[in-house]
Amino acid sequence: IRRHDRDDARHLALGRDLEAVVDMRLPGGAGTLIAPAWVLTAAHVVQLIRLPHRIRVGEHDYGIARMISFPGGQVGRDDIALVQLDRPVTDVPPMALDFGDVEPGATILVAGRGLPGDGLQGPAARDGKLRAATNRVDRVLEKWLVFRFDPPAEALDDEGYQDTAPTAFPQ
């Protein structure tokens, strides 16, 4: 969901270079390639997958060798999982994990294939296109980064939020 006073093309362009954001081939499902054969995603996403299942990384499809959810992982609590691919990805560089501390006020990039739309009209029909937006971290909790969708006068230029299975990258 983007600012209503910004064109959707900006957010499509921000997402264009994020090859490591994986299309899990589920409505709103996304993940991030973090190693040649490993994808980080949400536990609630893998709960929807029925094997055999193929996902898309860059221009190629990959099968799933196995899925590992955090024990008890569910929406709102430990919602994290790993997916091992049936073979390593060789043409898309994995996204580097950042183990540093994120402080309130940090700018992050959120990306995914959730519902497009804007802050006035709300979500539109799902189109499967990868979009990205920036946002500012308000609070850092034990397992969550908290951010809000600010009104235009207070928002970042490309501010927005992702409505499903977000992938966040420190900027």
Side-chain angles (χ1 to χ4, degrees), residues 141-161:
L141 304 177
E142 182 183 0
K143 298 179 182 180
W144 298 94
L145 298 179
V146 179
F147 55 92
R148 66 176 177 255
F149 189 39
D150 294 311
E154 302 166 27
L156 299 171
D157 261 0
D158 295 312
E159 186 157 327
Y161 74 94

Side-chain angles (χ1 to χ4, degrees), residues 25 36 53-65 85-92:
R25 299 276 173 92
H53 184 83
R54 301 197 61 77
I55 63 175
R56 179 157 285 254
V57 183
E59 299 296 319
H60 303 286
D61 289 343
Y62 294 82
I64 294 174
L85 304 176
D86 62 354
R87 65 188 190 283
V89 175
T90 59
D91 60 338
V92 173

Side-chain angles (χ1 to χ4, degrees), residues 1-76:
I1 304 294
R2 69 181 190 286
R3 291 173 51 167
H4 71 279
D5 60 342
R6 296 295 188 259
D7 189 76
D8 189 42
R10 292 171 71 126
H11 298 280
L12 289 166
L14 273 175
R16 196 168 294 124
D17 294 330
L18 297 175
E19 293 179 293
V21 176
V22 175
D23 183 353
M24 300 299 289
R25 299 276 173 92
L26 296 166
T32 304
L33 185 70
I34 61 167
W38 289 94
V39 173
L40 179 67
T41 190
H44 75 267
V45 169
V46 299
Q47 289 169 356
L48 299 172
I49 294 174
R50 300 293 169 253
L51 297 177
H53 184 83
R54 301 197 61 77
I55 63 175
R56 179 157 285 254
V57 183
E59 299 296 319
H60 303 286
D61 289 343
Y62 294 82
I64 294 174
R66 68 180 165 148
M67 301 179 290
I68 306 165
S69 289
F70 189 90
Q74 58 188 342
V75 175

